Amino acid sequence: METPANCAVLNTNESLKLSITNHLRFTLGAYVESASENDWFVATSLAVRDRVMERATQSRTKHRSQGVRRVHYLSLEYLMGRLLENNLRNSGLYDIAKQALKDMGKDLDTLLQKEPDMGLGNGGLGRLAACFMDSLSTLDLPAIGYGIHYEFGLFRQEFVNGRQVEHPDAWMRDGSPWKIARPSYRQTVHLYGKVIQKFDEFGHPHHEWVETKCLLGLPWDIPIVGYDSSTVNVLRLWQAQADEDFNFQVFNEGSYVDALREKAIAETVSKVLYPNDATESGKELRLVQQYFFVACSLADIVRRFKNGYNLPWSEFPSKAAIQLNDTHPAVAIPELMRILVDVERIDWAQAWAICQKTFSYTNHTLLPEALETWSTALFERVLPRHLQIIFEINHRFLTGEVEARWPGDMEKKRVLSLIEERGGGKHVRMAHLSVLGGHATNGVAALHTRLLCERLFPEFFELYPDRFLNLTNGVTFRRWLDVCNPQLSALITESIGSGWLKDSSKLRELDRFADDSSFRERFQQIKRGHKVHLAKIIQDTCGVSVSPDALFDVQIKRLHEYKRQHLNLLHIVSLYRRLLENPQLDIAPRVFIFGAKAAPGYYLAKNIIHAINALANKVNHDPRVGGKLKVIFMPNYGVSIAERIIPAADLSEQISTAGKEASGTGNMKLALNGALTIGTLDGANVEILEEVGPDNIFIFGLTVEGVTDLYKRGYNPWDFYWASEDLRLSLDWLASDYFTGNQDEFKPLRDSLLTHGDPFLVMADYDAYAASQAEVDKAYRDQPRWQKMAIHNTARVGKFSSDRTILEYAEKVWKLPQVSM
Ligand SMILES: *Cc1c(COP(=O)(O)O)cnc(C)c1O
C-alpha cells in the first residue's frame, strides 16, 4: 500500500517533529514549552505508534485476504519490558527520532527512561513469549499473541533491612501509549452455573450450561514491531469487566452498593498477575483467570473463522494453530470441545479431531511442584460443563487407545489418566490434558525434551512417539544485543555487516576476530564502558562503590532453590573467610551481582535473599578485604535492569541442579554479550557448551546421570559437610549470629541443606563449584585469553536466536507461511 505524499506520518525528521508536537498539543493538551518529560515520552511514543499502526492494519488485511493460517500464541504471561527504544530500533527510526528531539531541545535517551516496564510475567516463560512475538513479526509470520491485561504486573521489590518487601506494580496508572482498546471485539464469558441435558425434536441429546454468572472481556491491542520487516502483529490482552446487564437487576432492586461490589469483584479477575514461579498456586481466582482468558481468546478466534471464511468446521485447523505456553491455558482444549459439540452441534469424534489438529503444547518444567492440577470439586463449581467434557475425553482415551494398547492393564490406566486420585481427592492433570488434546508436545532444550520423554511422560511417549519434539529456546538478538548493547552491535556490524541481526548464523564470521588484538581491545573497551555505567547505577541504587576493573560475576534470575543462589552464596562466604585469614590472598577482585525476586510465599527463597544481603552488608563495609570483594543485590530485577546488567557481565552463573532447569534463557543473553558461563550440564547449558566449545566455558558438577546414581547410593548431605572443611566452616559461619546478630536468622537455610536432606544437592556440588571458580579466577587474570574466550562466546551462540526457534515452530508444528507485505 502506498503512503500519500502529503501524509503527515513520514519517517523524516520534519514529519516526526510535527507528529510529536501535535500529540503534545492536541492529544495531551500541553504547551510545548512547558510539557513534562513524561509528556514528551508519551508524545514521542504516540508519534512512533502512528507510524506502526498503519502497518498493523495492512498486515491484518493481508493475512485475512490471503486466508493464511495464523498462529495464536496463548500465554498467561508476557514480560515485555519497555517498548519505545525497541520499536525505534526495530523500525529504523532511532537516529531520526534522536535528532528530531535534539532539535527540540530534548534528549531521547532521557525520555526512554521515563517508560515503566510492562512486567506482565514472572520470569523466563513470560520473557520467552515476548521474544517470540518479536521474532514472529520479524520473520513475517501471521500471528496473534493473546494474554491478560493485568492491572498490576509482577510486584515491585524493595529491601528493608535486607529482607524482600513487595509493593504493587501500577505499571499503567498513567495509561500506556502503546495499547489501544478494541471495544467492538468485547466478549462475554460464562462461569459457575449448572449443566442440563436437553433433547431436540429427533430425540438427540445435547448439553446446556445455564444459570451462569457473566463477565465481559475488553481487548487491548499492542502493536509488535519486527526488525526490518513490514509485518506488525498484535498482542491482544483481555481486561475483565462487569456485565452491565447483570448489575442492572441488582440496581433495580435498589441495592446500588451491592451492584458496585459485584462490579468490583468481576474486575478482580484481571487485577493481578500471580507472582508464583515454578510452583502451582491452586486458587479459585487463578482458575477463573485462566478460563476468562481462554474463553475470550477462543471466542475471538472462532469469530474470525466464522466471519472471514465460509468454510466447514473441518477446515478450522487449516486457518488456526493454537500454541499453549505451558498448561496455564490448557482449559482451551475442553472449551473448544464445548464450542464445537454443545454450540455448533458437531459430533464428538469430529470435534476431537479438530481439537487435536489445532492445539500444540510447550512444556516448561519437570519439577513436580510446578505441574498444574485442579481439584475436580473446584473445577466442577467453576466450570461444570468443562469437567464433564474432561471426564468424557478421559473415558474415551482409557477405554479406547489405552485399553487397545495395554489390554486389562489397570496400572497403565492409572498413570495415564487425566484424573489423579490422591489423598481422597481427585485432581485434573493439566499436563496430561495438554499432551492428549494436541498434535505436538515440545520441550525447550535437548536435555529437557529427553527427560520429558523418558521420565515425565514415558507412557504417552510410548503411545505417541511422533507427538514429541524438541524446540530449543532462544532470545531476540534485537532487544538482547542491538537495543541493550548498541556499542557492541555497531562493532559487529562494522566487522561483518548487519546481516547477523536477521540471520544469526552469520555471527560466526566474528570468530576470526578473536585473534585480532585491536578488535579484542575494542571489544574489551565496550565491556568496560558498560561496567562503568553499571558501577554508577550500583552507586546510585545501593550506595556501594565498585571498581569496573573487577570481575563482574552475575547471577540474575528468579530466586529458587533449584537455581541454587545459595551455592553461589556459600562460595562467597568462603572467599570472604579466606581473605580475612590471608589478606594477601592472590585473587582477581570480584563484584558478585545478584538480581532476583522470590515468590511472596516462598519462605526459604526469602531467607536466601536476606542471607545474601546480610553478607553484602558485612563484606562491602569491611576494610580488611581491601576492595577485592563486593556483593551487590540489585533490587527489583526485571527486563530493564537486565538490559543494564547483561552487557556489563564478565561471568554468567548458570548453576542449577542437573535435570531441574528446563532451558534457561538468561544463559543465552549473557553469552551473547560476551560473558563466560560457569554452569552445570543442565538445560540449554549443554547446547551452549556444544556451540562455544569446552575451552570457552566453565562446566562443573553432577550430571543428570550422576544425580541419579548419587540417589541410588543414598544421598546424605552430612557426608559432604564433614568431608569439606571449607564448606563446613562457610555454612556454620553463615548460620551463626555473626551476620545479623541473631543465630536463628538463617537456620531455615542451614536446616534445608543438612537436616532436610538438601533436595537440590548444594552440598554435593560445592567442592566442584569452588574448584571451577578457581579456574575462572586464573582465566580472568590472563586478559588476552579471557577476551578471546568472550569473543568466541558472542560469535558462536547464533543458534540461540528466537528467530531460529520460531522458524522451527513454524515449520514443524504450525506449518505457517511467511507472508511479506
Ligand atoms: C531472561 C529473563 C529471565 C530468565 O532467566 P533465567 O536465567 O533463564 O531463569 C527472567 N527474568 C528476566 C527479566 C529475564 O529477562
Side-chain angles (χ1 to χ4, degrees), residues 278-308:
T279 48
E280 189 247 319
S281 61
K283 299 270 163 49
E284 178 168 338
L285 180 61
R286 169 81 171 168
L287 180 62
V288 170
Q289 218 173 45
Q290 291 181 351
Y291 179 66
F292 161 75
F293 156 64
V294 155
C296 289
S297 306
L298 274 189
D300 202 44
I301 298 167
V302 164
R303 169 188 61 77
R304 214 172 277 116
F305 177 71
K306 290 180 128 183
N307 293 350

PDB file of all heavy atoms in Angstrom, residues 278-308:
ATOM      1  N   ALA A 278       7.406 -21.394  39.062  1.00  0.00           N
ATOM      2  CA  ALA A 278       7.816 -22.781  39.325  1.00  0.00           C
ATOM      3  C   ALA A 278       7.109 -23.403  40.524  1.00  0.00           C
ATOM      4  O   ALA A 278       7.589 -24.378  41.089  1.00  0.00           O
ATOM      5  CB  ALA A 278       9.334 -22.896  39.477  1.00  0.00           C
ATOM      6  N   THR A 279       5.996 -22.818  40.933  1.00  0.00           N
ATOM      7  CA  THR A 279       5.107 -23.550  41.841  1.00  0.00           C
ATOM      8  C   THR A 279       3.695 -23.323  41.342  1.00  0.00           C
ATOM      9  O   THR A 279       3.392 -22.302  40.736  1.00  0.00           O
ATOM     10  CB  THR A 279       5.162 -23.059  43.298  1.00  0.00           C
ATOM     11  OG1 THR A 279       5.046 -21.654  43.307  1.00  0.00           O
ATOM     12  CG2 THR A 279       6.417 -23.505  44.008  1.00  0.00           C
ATOM     13  N   GLU A 280       2.848 -24.264  41.636  1.00  0.00           N
ATOM     14  CA  GLU A 280       1.476 -24.192  41.186  1.00  0.00           C
ATOM     15  C   GLU A 280       0.692 -23.538  42.324  1.00  0.00           C
ATOM     16  O   GLU A 280       0.939 -23.825  43.484  1.00  0.00           O
ATOM     17  CB  GLU A 280       0.992 -25.616  40.907  1.00  0.00           C
ATOM     18  CG  GLU A 280      -0.330 -25.713  40.233  1.00  0.00           C
ATOM     19  CD  GLU A 280      -1.354 -26.323  41.138  1.00  0.00           C
ATOM     20  OE1 GLU A 280      -1.039 -27.290  41.851  1.00  0.00           O
ATOM     21  OE2 GLU A 280      -2.484 -25.801  41.117  1.00  0.00           O
ATOM     22  N   SER A 281      -0.226 -22.617  41.996  1.00  0.00           N
ATOM     23  CA  SER A 281      -0.852 -21.843  43.074  1.00  0.00           C
ATOM     24  C   SER A 281      -2.164 -22.446  43.570  1.00  0.00           C
ATOM     25  O   SER A 281      -2.444 -22.438  44.751  1.00  0.00           O
ATOM     26  CB  SER A 281      -1.072 -20.409  42.623  1.00  0.00           C
ATOM     27  OG  SER A 281      -1.941 -20.393  41.509  1.00  0.00           O
ATOM     28  N   GLY A 282      -2.972 -22.998  42.664  1.00  0.00           N
ATOM     29  CA  GLY A 282      -4.174 -23.688  43.099  1.00  0.00           C
ATOM     30  C   GLY A 282      -5.229 -22.843  43.791  1.00  0.00           C
ATOM     31  O   GLY A 282      -5.819 -23.263  44.775  1.00  0.00           O
ATOM     32  N   LYS A 283      -5.489 -21.657  43.284  1.00  0.00           N
ATOM     33  CA  LYS A 283      -6.509 -20.794  43.872  1.00  0.00           C
ATOM     34  C   LYS A 283      -7.667 -20.642  42.895  1.00  0.00           C
ATOM     35  O   LYS A 283      -7.450 -20.593  41.684  1.00  0.00           O
ATOM     36  CB  LYS A 283      -5.917 -19.410  44.162  1.00  0.00           C
ATOM     37  CG  LYS A 283      -4.761 -19.409  45.139  1.00  0.00           C
ATOM     38  CD  LYS A 283      -5.245 -19.247  46.579  1.00  0.00           C
ATOM     39  CE  LYS A 283      -4.214 -19.650  47.607  1.00  0.00           C
ATOM     40  NZ  LYS A 283      -2.903 -19.074  47.404  1.00  0.00           N
ATOM     41  N   GLU A 284      -8.868 -20.512  43.440  1.00  0.00           N
ATOM     42  CA  GLU A 284     -10.053 -20.379  42.588  1.00  0.00           C
ATOM     43  C   GLU A 284      -9.914 -19.205  41.618  1.00  0.00           C
ATOM     44  O   GLU A 284     -10.217 -19.320  40.431  1.00  0.00           O
ATOM     45  CB  GLU A 284     -11.302 -20.212  43.456  1.00  0.00           C
ATOM     46  CG  GLU A 284     -12.572 -20.022  42.634  1.00  0.00           C
ATOM     47  CD  GLU A 284     -13.837 -20.147  43.463  1.00  0.00           C
ATOM     48  OE1 GLU A 284     -13.784 -20.780  44.537  1.00  0.00           O
ATOM     49  OE2 GLU A 284     -14.873 -19.603  43.058  1.00  0.00           O
ATOM     50  N   LEU A 285      -9.439 -18.069  42.138  1.00  0.00           N
ATOM     51  CA  LEU A 285      -9.303 -16.893  41.273  1.00  0.00           C
ATOM     52  C   LEU A 285      -8.370 -17.178  40.099  1.00  0.00           C
ATOM     53  O   LEU A 285      -8.572 -16.684  38.995  1.00  0.00           O
ATOM     54  CB  LEU A 285      -8.809 -15.693  42.082  1.00  0.00           C
ATOM     55  CG  LEU A 285      -8.619 -14.397  41.279  1.00  0.00           C
ATOM     56  CD1 LEU A 285      -9.926 -13.914  40.661  1.00  0.00           C
ATOM     57  CD2 LEU A 285      -8.029 -13.286  42.166  1.00  0.00           C
ATOM     58  N   ARG A 286      -7.352 -17.971  40.360  1.00  0.00           N
ATOM     59  CA  ARG A 286      -6.390 -18.301  39.293  1.00  0.00           C
ATOM     60  C   ARG A 286      -7.079 -19.125  38.202  1.00  0.00           C
ATOM     61  O   ARG A 286      -6.868 -18.892  37.007  1.00  0.00           O
ATOM     62  CB  ARG A 286      -5.214 -19.069  39.909  1.00  0.00           C
ATOM     63  CG  ARG A 286      -4.265 -19.716  38.935  1.00  0.00           C
ATOM     64  CD  ARG A 286      -3.255 -18.750  38.375  1.00  0.00           C
ATOM     65  NE  ARG A 286      -2.234 -19.466  37.607  1.00  0.00           N
ATOM     66  CZ  ARG A 286      -1.351 -18.884  36.820  1.00  0.00           C
ATOM     67  NH1 ARG A 286      -1.340 -17.566  36.684  1.00  0.00           N
ATOM     68  NH2 ARG A 286      -0.467 -19.592  36.173  1.00  0.00           N
ATOM     69  N   LEU A 287      -7.923 -20.078  38.593  1.00  0.00           N
ATOM     70  CA  LEU A 287      -8.638 -20.880  37.598  1.00  0.00           C
ATOM     71  C   LEU A 287      -9.606 -19.995  36.815  1.00  0.00           C
ATOM     72  O   LEU A 287      -9.719 -20.113  35.588  1.00  0.00           O
ATOM     73  CB  LEU A 287      -9.386 -22.034  38.276  1.00  0.00           C
ATOM     74  CG  LEU A 287     -10.185 -22.955  37.343  1.00  0.00           C
ATOM     75  CD1 LEU A 287      -9.264 -23.653  36.334  1.00  0.00           C
ATOM     76  CD2 LEU A 287     -10.964 -24.005  38.146  1.00  0.00           C
ATOM     77  N   VAL A 288     -10.290 -19.102  37.516  1.00  0.00           N
ATOM     78  CA  VAL A 288     -11.211 -18.175  36.847  1.00  0.00           C
ATOM     79  C   VAL A 288     -10.434 -17.312  35.859  1.00  0.00           C
ATOM     80  O   VAL A 288     -10.864 -17.091  34.724  1.00  0.00           O
ATOM     81  CB  VAL A 288     -11.957 -17.303  37.882  1.00  0.00           C
ATOM     82  CG1 VAL A 288     -12.723 -16.178  37.194  1.00  0.00           C
ATOM     83  CG2 VAL A 288     -12.911 -18.162  38.709  1.00  0.00           C
ATOM     84  N   GLN A 289      -9.264 -16.853  36.280  1.00  0.00           N
ATOM     85  CA  GLN A 289      -8.401 -16.039  35.413  1.00  0.00           C
ATOM     86  C   GLN A 289      -8.038 -16.809  34.139  1.00  0.00           C
ATOM     87  O   GLN A 289      -8.165 -16.288  33.026  1.00  0.00           O
ATOM     88  CB  GLN A 289      -7.120 -15.726  36.193  1.00  0.00           C
ATOM     89  CG  GLN A 289      -6.567 -14.370  36.000  1.00  0.00           C
ATOM     90  CD  GLN A 289      -5.408 -14.088  36.946  1.00  0.00           C
ATOM     91  OE1 GLN A 289      -4.513 -14.906  37.138  1.00  0.00           O
ATOM     92  NE2 GLN A 289      -5.406 -12.902  37.533  1.00  0.00           N
ATOM     93  N   GLN A 290      -7.616 -18.044  34.312  1.00  0.00           N
ATOM     94  CA  GLN A 290      -7.222 -18.859  33.167  1.00  0.00           C
ATOM     95  C   GLN A 290      -8.394 -19.042  32.209  1.00  0.00           C
ATOM     96  O   GLN A 290      -8.255 -18.898  30.993  1.00  0.00           O
ATOM     97  CB  GLN A 290      -6.714 -20.232  33.623  1.00  0.00           C
ATOM     98  CG  GLN A 290      -5.388 -20.170  34.369  1.00  0.00           C
ATOM     99  CD  GLN A 290      -4.882 -21.544  34.804  1.00  0.00           C
ATOM    100  OE1 GLN A 290      -5.602 -22.534  34.696  1.00  0.00           O
ATOM    101  NE2 GLN A 290      -3.662 -21.600  35.297  1.00  0.00           N
ATOM    102  N   TYR A 291      -9.562 -19.376  32.768  1.00  0.00           N
ATOM    103  CA  TYR A 291     -10.702 -19.637  31.890  1.00  0.00           C
ATOM    104  C   TYR A 291     -11.182 -18.355  31.206  1.00  0.00           C
ATOM    105  O   TYR A 291     -11.501 -18.351  30.014  1.00  0.00           O
ATOM    106  CB  TYR A 291     -11.857 -20.306  32.643  1.00  0.00           C
ATOM    107  CG  TYR A 291     -13.028 -20.525  31.696  1.00  0.00           C
ATOM    108  CD1 TYR A 291     -12.921 -21.418  30.636  1.00  0.00           C
ATOM    109  CD2 TYR A 291     -14.197 -19.769  31.804  1.00  0.00           C
ATOM    110  CE1 TYR A 291     -13.951 -21.579  29.720  1.00  0.00           C
ATOM    111  CE2 TYR A 291     -15.230 -19.922  30.895  1.00  0.00           C
ATOM    112  CZ  TYR A 291     -15.103 -20.823  29.847  1.00  0.00           C
ATOM    113  OH  TYR A 291     -16.108 -20.964  28.933  1.00  0.00           O
ATOM    114  N   PHE A 292     -11.224 -17.264  31.964  1.00  0.00           N
ATOM    115  CA  PHE A 292     -11.625 -15.970  31.397  1.00  0.00           C
ATOM    116  C   PHE A 292     -10.783 -15.662  30.153  1.00  0.00           C
ATOM    117  O   PHE A 292     -11.282 -15.311  29.080  1.00  0.00           O
ATOM    118  CB  PHE A 292     -11.463 -14.872  32.452  1.00  0.00           C
ATOM    119  CG  PHE A 292     -11.398 -13.481  31.888  1.00  0.00           C
ATOM    120  CD1 PHE A 292     -12.540 -12.857  31.423  1.00  0.00           C
ATOM    121  CD2 PHE A 292     -10.183 -12.801  31.803  1.00  0.00           C
ATOM    122  CE1 PHE A 292     -12.485 -11.580  30.873  1.00  0.00           C
ATOM    123  CE2 PHE A 292     -10.114 -11.535  31.261  1.00  0.00           C
ATOM    124  CZ  PHE A 292     -11.265 -10.919  30.788  1.00  0.00           C
ATOM    125  N   PHE A 293      -9.489 -15.808  30.322  1.00  0.00           N
ATOM    126  CA  PHE A 293      -8.539 -15.514  29.241  1.00  0.00           C
ATOM    127  C   PHE A 293      -8.753 -16.434  28.034  1.00  0.00           C
ATOM    128  O   PHE A 293      -8.808 -15.994  26.877  1.00  0.00           O
ATOM    129  CB  PHE A 293      -7.120 -15.652  29.810  1.00  0.00           C
ATOM    130  CG  PHE A 293      -6.060 -15.936  28.793  1.00  0.00           C
ATOM    131  CD1 PHE A 293      -5.770 -15.020  27.803  1.00  0.00           C
ATOM    132  CD2 PHE A 293      -5.342 -17.121  28.842  1.00  0.00           C
ATOM    133  CE1 PHE A 293      -4.784 -15.277  26.866  1.00  0.00           C
ATOM    134  CE2 PHE A 293      -4.361 -17.386  27.913  1.00  0.00           C
ATOM    135  CZ  PHE A 293      -4.087 -16.467  26.913  1.00  0.00           C
ATOM    136  N   VAL A 294      -8.906 -17.724  28.324  1.00  0.00           N
ATOM    137  CA  VAL A 294      -9.066 -18.712  27.260  1.00  0.00           C
ATOM    138  C   VAL A 294     -10.392 -18.522  26.520  1.00  0.00           C
ATOM    139  O   VAL A 294     -10.454 -18.576  25.283  1.00  0.00           O
ATOM    140  CB  VAL A 294      -8.963 -20.126  27.878  1.00  0.00           C
ATOM    141  CG1 VAL A 294      -9.681 -21.154  27.031  1.00  0.00           C
ATOM    142  CG2 VAL A 294      -7.491 -20.491  28.098  1.00  0.00           C
ATOM    143  N   ALA A 295     -11.468 -18.275  27.277  1.00  0.00           N
ATOM    144  CA  ALA A 295     -12.795 -18.139  26.657  1.00  0.00           C
ATOM    145  C   ALA A 295     -12.818 -16.917  25.736  1.00  0.00           C
ATOM    146  O   ALA A 295     -13.342 -16.976  24.620  1.00  0.00           O
ATOM    147  CB  ALA A 295     -13.870 -18.036  27.740  1.00  0.00           C
ATOM    148  N   CYS A 296     -12.252 -15.802  26.199  1.00  0.00           N
ATOM    149  CA  CYS A 296     -12.195 -14.600  25.354  1.00  0.00           C
ATOM    150  C   CYS A 296     -11.388 -14.870  24.086  1.00  0.00           C
ATOM    151  O   CYS A 296     -11.805 -14.517  22.975  1.00  0.00           O
ATOM    152  CB  CYS A 296     -11.531 -13.440  26.107  1.00  0.00           C
ATOM    153  SG  CYS A 296     -12.521 -12.760  27.430  1.00  0.00           S
ATOM    154  N   SER A 297     -10.226 -15.498  24.240  1.00  0.00           N
ATOM    155  CA  SER A 297      -9.332 -15.701  23.099  1.00  0.00           C
ATOM    156  C   SER A 297      -9.962 -16.652  22.088  1.00  0.00           C
ATOM    157  O   SER A 297      -9.936 -16.395  20.880  1.00  0.00           O
ATOM    158  CB  SER A 297      -7.973 -16.244  23.570  1.00  0.00           C
ATOM    159  OG  SER A 297      -7.426 -15.404  24.572  1.00  0.00           O
ATOM    160  N   LEU A 298     -10.525 -17.766  22.564  1.00  0.00           N
ATOM    161  CA  LEU A 298     -11.138 -18.723  21.634  1.00  0.00           C
ATOM    162  C   LEU A 298     -12.342 -18.115  20.925  1.00  0.00           C
ATOM    163  O   LEU A 298     -12.532 -18.318  19.721  1.00  0.00           O
ATOM    164  CB  LEU A 298     -11.544 -20.001  22.368  1.00  0.00           C
ATOM    165  CG  LEU A 298     -10.457 -21.064  22.514  1.00  0.00           C
ATOM    166  CD1 LEU A 298     -11.055 -22.350  23.062  1.00  0.00           C
ATOM    167  CD2 LEU A 298      -9.763 -21.348  21.195  1.00  0.00           C
ATOM    168  N   ALA A 299     -13.155 -17.357  21.665  1.00  0.00           N
ATOM    169  CA  ALA A 299     -14.313 -16.721  21.031  1.00  0.00           C
ATOM    170  C   ALA A 299     -13.844 -15.781  19.922  1.00  0.00           C
ATOM    171  O   ALA A 299     -14.455 -15.687  18.857  1.00  0.00           O
ATOM    172  CB  ALA A 299     -15.139 -15.969  22.073  1.00  0.00           C
ATOM    173  N   ASP A 300     -12.728 -15.094  20.172  1.00  0.00           N
ATOM    174  CA  ASP A 300     -12.164 -14.178  19.187  1.00  0.00           C
ATOM    175  C   ASP A 300     -11.680 -14.941  17.943  1.00  0.00           C
ATOM    176  O   ASP A 300     -11.904 -14.509  16.803  1.00  0.00           O
ATOM    177  CB  ASP A 300     -10.986 -13.432  19.842  1.00  0.00           C
ATOM    178  CG  ASP A 300     -10.662 -12.112  19.159  1.00  0.00           C
ATOM    179  OD1 ASP A 300     -11.607 -11.365  18.838  1.00  0.00           O
ATOM    180  OD2 ASP A 300      -9.458 -11.828  18.963  1.00  0.00           O
ATOM    181  N   ILE A 301     -11.033 -16.079  18.173  1.00  0.00           N
ATOM    182  CA  ILE A 301     -10.513 -16.898  17.058  1.00  0.00           C
ATOM    183  C   ILE A 301     -11.684 -17.473  16.248  1.00  0.00           C
ATOM    184  O   ILE A 301     -11.676 -17.466  15.018  1.00  0.00           O
ATOM    185  CB  ILE A 301      -9.605 -18.033  17.602  1.00  0.00           C
ATOM    186  CG1 ILE A 301      -8.384 -17.448  18.322  1.00  0.00           C
ATOM    187  CG2 ILE A 301      -9.162 -18.963  16.472  1.00  0.00           C
ATOM    188  CD1 ILE A 301      -7.594 -18.455  19.161  1.00  0.00           C
ATOM    189  N   VAL A 302     -12.705 -17.948  16.959  1.00  0.00           N
ATOM    190  CA  VAL A 302     -13.879 -18.536  16.299  1.00  0.00           C
ATOM    191  C   VAL A 302     -14.638 -17.467  15.510  1.00  0.00           C
ATOM    192  O   VAL A 302     -15.077 -17.687  14.377  1.00  0.00           O
ATOM    193  CB  VAL A 302     -14.783 -19.231  17.347  1.00  0.00           C
ATOM    194  CG1 VAL A 302     -16.163 -19.508  16.768  1.00  0.00           C
ATOM    195  CG2 VAL A 302     -14.128 -20.521  17.830  1.00  0.00           C
ATOM    196  N   ARG A 303     -14.758 -16.274  16.105  1.00  0.00           N
ATOM    197  CA  ARG A 303     -15.412 -15.163  15.397  1.00  0.00           C
ATOM    198  C   ARG A 303     -14.711 -14.893  14.064  1.00  0.00           C
ATOM    199  O   ARG A 303     -15.345 -14.758  13.017  1.00  0.00           O
ATOM    200  CB  ARG A 303     -15.364 -13.897  16.262  1.00  0.00           C
ATOM    201  CG  ARG A 303     -15.778 -12.616  15.521  1.00  0.00           C
ATOM    202  CD  ARG A 303     -15.537 -11.342  16.342  1.00  0.00           C
ATOM    203  NE  ARG A 303     -14.136 -11.126  16.700  1.00  0.00           N
ATOM    204  CZ  ARG A 303     -13.193 -10.678  15.871  1.00  0.00           C
ATOM    205  NH1 ARG A 303     -13.497 -10.395  14.620  1.00  0.00           N
ATOM    206  NH2 ARG A 303     -11.951 -10.511  16.276  1.00  0.00           N
ATOM    207  N   ARG A 304     -13.381 -14.851  14.104  1.00  0.00           N
ATOM    208  CA  ARG A 304     -12.612 -14.558  12.903  1.00  0.00           C
ATOM    209  C   ARG A 304     -12.806 -15.658  11.851  1.00  0.00           C
ATOM    210  O   ARG A 304     -12.937 -15.377  10.666  1.00  0.00           O
ATOM    211  CB  ARG A 304     -11.129 -14.429  13.285  1.00  0.00           C
ATOM    212  CG  ARG A 304     -10.383 -13.409  12.477  1.00  0.00           C
ATOM    213  CD  ARG A 304      -8.975 -13.188  13.015  1.00  0.00           C
ATOM    214  NE  ARG A 304      -8.907 -12.262  14.117  1.00  0.00           N
ATOM    215  CZ  ARG A 304      -8.519 -12.566  15.344  1.00  0.00           C
ATOM    216  NH1 ARG A 304      -8.178 -13.796  15.665  1.00  0.00           N
ATOM    217  NH2 ARG A 304      -8.480 -11.640  16.277  1.00  0.00           N
ATOM    218  N   PHE A 305     -12.871 -16.909  12.303  1.00  0.00           N
ATOM    219  CA  PHE A 305     -13.075 -18.024  11.372  1.00  0.00           C
ATOM    220  C   PHE A 305     -14.460 -17.945  10.731  1.00  0.00           C
ATOM    221  O   PHE A 305     -14.611 -18.110   9.524  1.00  0.00           O
ATOM    222  CB  PHE A 305     -12.909 -19.355  12.122  1.00  0.00           C
ATOM    223  CG  PHE A 305     -13.183 -20.564  11.257  1.00  0.00           C
ATOM    224  CD1 PHE A 305     -12.293 -20.930  10.255  1.00  0.00           C
ATOM    225  CD2 PHE A 305     -14.325 -21.331  11.445  1.00  0.00           C
ATOM    226  CE1 PHE A 305     -12.536 -22.053   9.454  1.00  0.00           C
ATOM    227  CE2 PHE A 305     -14.582 -22.443  10.645  1.00  0.00           C
ATOM    228  CZ  PHE A 305     -13.674 -22.803   9.651  1.00  0.00           C
ATOM    229  N   LYS A 306     -15.466 -17.653  11.550  1.00  0.00           N
ATOM    230  CA  LYS A 306     -16.835 -17.661  11.021  1.00  0.00           C
ATOM    231  C   LYS A 306     -17.082 -16.458  10.105  1.00  0.00           C
ATOM    232  O   LYS A 306     -17.765 -16.583   9.089  1.00  0.00           O
ATOM    233  CB  LYS A 306     -17.836 -17.647  12.165  1.00  0.00           C
ATOM    234  CG  LYS A 306     -17.875 -18.954  12.940  1.00  0.00           C
ATOM    235  CD  LYS A 306     -18.892 -18.846  14.037  1.00  0.00           C
ATOM    236  CE  LYS A 306     -19.870 -19.963  14.026  1.00  0.00           C
ATOM    237  NZ  LYS A 306     -20.908 -19.861  15.031  1.00  0.00           N
ATOM    238  N   ASN A 307     -16.535 -15.292  10.480  1.00  0.00           N
ATOM    239  CA  ASN A 307     -16.773 -14.101   9.665  1.00  0.00           C
ATOM    240  C   ASN A 307     -15.902 -14.059   8.430  1.00  0.00           C
ATOM    241  O   ASN A 307     -16.285 -13.507   7.403  1.00  0.00           O
ATOM    242  CB  ASN A 307     -16.505 -12.823  10.474  1.00  0.00           C
ATOM    243  CG  ASN A 307     -17.507 -12.654  11.597  1.00  0.00           C
ATOM    244  OD1 ASN A 307     -18.496 -13.398  11.647  1.00  0.00           O
ATOM    245  ND2 ASN A 307     -17.252 -11.721  12.484  1.00  0.00           N
ATOM    246  N   GLY A 308     -14.716 -14.637   8.541  1.00  0.00           N
ATOM    247  CA  GLY A 308     -13.739 -14.473   7.475  1.00  0.00           C
ATOM    248  C   GLY A 308     -13.947 -15.413   6.308  1.00  0.00           C
ATOM    249  O   GLY A 308     -13.657 -15.082   5.165  1.00  0.00           O
TER     250      GLY A 308
END
